[in-house]
Amino acid sequence: MRALSRDLAAVLAALGDRAQAGRALGPLSTYRVGGPAACFVEANDEADLLALRRALAGRPVPVLVVGKGSNLLVADAGFDGVAVHLGGGWAGIDIGPGPRLRAGAAAGLPVVARRSVDAGLTGFEWAVGVPGSVGGAVAMNAGGHGSDMAACLARYAWLDLASDAGGEDEAGRLALSYRNSALRSSQVVLWAELALAPGDRENGRAALAEIVRWRREHQPGGSNAGSVFTNPPGDSAGRLVDAAGLAGLRVGSASVSTKHANFIQADDGGSADDVYELMGRVRLAVAERFGVTLVPEVRLVGFDTAGSDTAGSDTAGSGRLDVAGSEMGER
């Protein structure tokens, strides 16, 4: 980590005991690698978030929202900003009235999926295999097995750390698209309300078991963040990586999975920078072989982009990836 900026030091001072300096972010991600946050805040209630908003007011400090960290890669150098993690106070799940379910942003997707089935509801079984949080799922329109958040999200609550904005809104305001939403990095999802349908509990439990079985059979375990690249229109990123002969390719402590080529594994005690470098090599090789520029699905934080402005905008031969110093960074 570099020396703290004047603005960041002021944020830390204003937050007092609510903040930690230099908190490691690797243990909060499924990659288990990466550096620390200059400032870390565990927000257990709205008062914590409002205190952070007051501390940030008028100060151009980047913000990173961290949930389950299942779609996040932080550079070994760390993140020179404020990382916000929603604590257990945001993990509640309420059923009803009717076929509706409201879940806090910190609730785990597999937990919500199982609770929905136990309550006799259907429409959220797909989420049992996604190791992210509800808030992250809203932010990136997470999905799998033929469905996504856009198919079931009715309402959500949010709070902007960079302004006085926030409140409750209908899902349409998010403009959800494939692995994307209109949320900005400073906007924190607080809860989501799902519109589901009445279902048979036994059929639901069978569907959950089949999804879990399929994932174990087709996807690797260990330290990874799931799919590294989004699927290009009409194709599969994993198929392209495999067809390029890249399965098993290694850079230092990172390797392309031989079980699913759109997964990159990190060794225990490995390096986030190795994962990033391998992503760039894979992306370049696929572009050279097939003319397809893969777009990162994993959120990349704190890396040097050397002028890259947008995902897919790197110059020919560079292999560099778009990253951000301020990301919703979690899935």
Side-chain angles (χ1 to χ4, degrees), residues 26 46 60 194 201 224 248 295:
E46 191 167 351
L194 309 178
R201 288 182 177 84
N224 64 66
V295 176

Side-chain angles (χ1 to χ4, degrees), residues 1 6 17-18 35 55 60 78 99 103 130 137 156 189-190 212 246 249 270 275-276 287 301 325:
M1 298 291 298
R6 180 178 300 176
D17 292 341
R18 279 191 165 100
V130 183
Y156 70 103
V189 175
L190 305 179
V212 171
L246 301 173
L249 179 65
V275 176
Y276 175 77
V301 175

Side-chain angles (χ1 to χ4, degrees), residues 231-259:
N231 288 325
D235 208 338
S236 158
R239 187 199 71 78
L240 290 169
V241 176
D242 194 38
L246 301 173
L249 179 65
R250 174 172 287 273
V251 171
S253 61
S255 61
V256 177
S257 171
T258 56
K259 191 171 186 178

Side-chain angles (χ1 to χ4, degrees), residues 53-112:
R53 183 161 73 179
R54 290 192 296 271
L56 288 168
R59 298 186 174 106
V61 173
V63 176
L64 170 69
V65 181
V66 181
K68 301 295 184 184
S70 60
N71 197 46
L72 175 67
L73 182 68
V74 179
D76 292 334
F79 173 61
D80 289 328
V82 177
V84 187
H85 182 259
L86 296 186
W90 298 102
I93 300 172
D94 296 312
I95 308 293
R100 294 233 169 183
L101 181 153
R102 179 177 291 189
L109 293 175
V111 175
V112 177

Side-chain angles (χ1 to χ4, degrees), residues 58-322:
R59 298 186 174 106
V61 173
V63 176
L64 170 69
V65 181
V66 181
K68 301 295 184 184
S70 60
N71 197 46
L72 175 67
L73 182 68
V74 179
D76 292 334
F79 173 61
D80 289 328
V82 177
V84 187
H85 182 259
L86 296 186
W90 298 102
I93 300 172
D94 296 312
I95 308 293
R100 294 233 169 183
L101 181 153
R102 179 177 291 189
L109 293 175
V111 175
V112 177
R114 294 185 185 281
R115 283 284 301 276
S116 69
V117 167
D118 288 343
L121 301 176
T122 188
F124 206 63
E125 292 90 339
W126 61 267
V128 74
V130 183
S133 69
V134 166
V138 172
M140 71 168 293
N141 188 26
H145 298 274
S147 192
D148 57 17
M149 289 298 292
C152 57
L153 181 65
R155 294 182 61 79
Y156 70 103
W158 61 287
L159 184 146
D160 194 340
L161 295 172
S163 72
D164 291 334
E168 299 181 19
D169 282 299
E170 301 293 329
R173 185 181 184 277
L174 289 168
L176 296 175
S177 59
Y178 177 56
R179 302 299 178 264
N180 193 38
S181 79
L183 282 170
R184 296 193 301 272
S185 61
S186 62
Q187 295 173 342
V188 185
V189 175
L190 305 179
W191 53 256
E193 183 175 278
L194 309 178
L196 305 177
D200 180 82
R201 288 182 177 84
E202 292 309 310
N203 289 340
R205 287 165 184 155
L208 295 178
E210 174 57 21
I211 291 170
V212 171
R213 182 205 64 77
W214 187 93
R215 293 227 167 200
R216 287 175 177 168
E217 180 179 341
H218 293 91
Q219 297 179 354
S223 299
N224 64 66
S227 296
V228 173
F229 300 104
T230 60
N231 288 325
D235 208 338
S236 158
R239 187 199 71 78
L240 290 169
V241 176
D242 194 38
L246 301 173
L249 179 65
R250 174 172 287 273
V251 171
S253 61
S255 61
V256 177
S257 171
T258 56
K259 191 171 186 178
H260 191 311
N262 198 23
F263 282 56
I264 289 179
Q265 304 286 114
D267 294 346
D268 291 343
S271 163
D273 292 0
D274 287 347
V275 176
Y276 175 77
E277 175 66 21
L278 182 54
M279 288 178 66
R281 292 194 191 183
V282 167
R283 191 167 182 245
L284 182 59
V286 168
E288 290 177 341
R289 175 77 181 273
F290 301 109
V292 176
T293 301
L294 295 175
V295 176
E297 181 172 321
V298 63
R299 300 296 184 176
L300 304 166
V301 175
F303 295 92
D304 178 11
T305 59
S308 177
D309 294 319
T310 59
S313 70
D314 53 319
T315 57
S318 73
R320 287 194 175 273
L321 304 164
D322 176 57

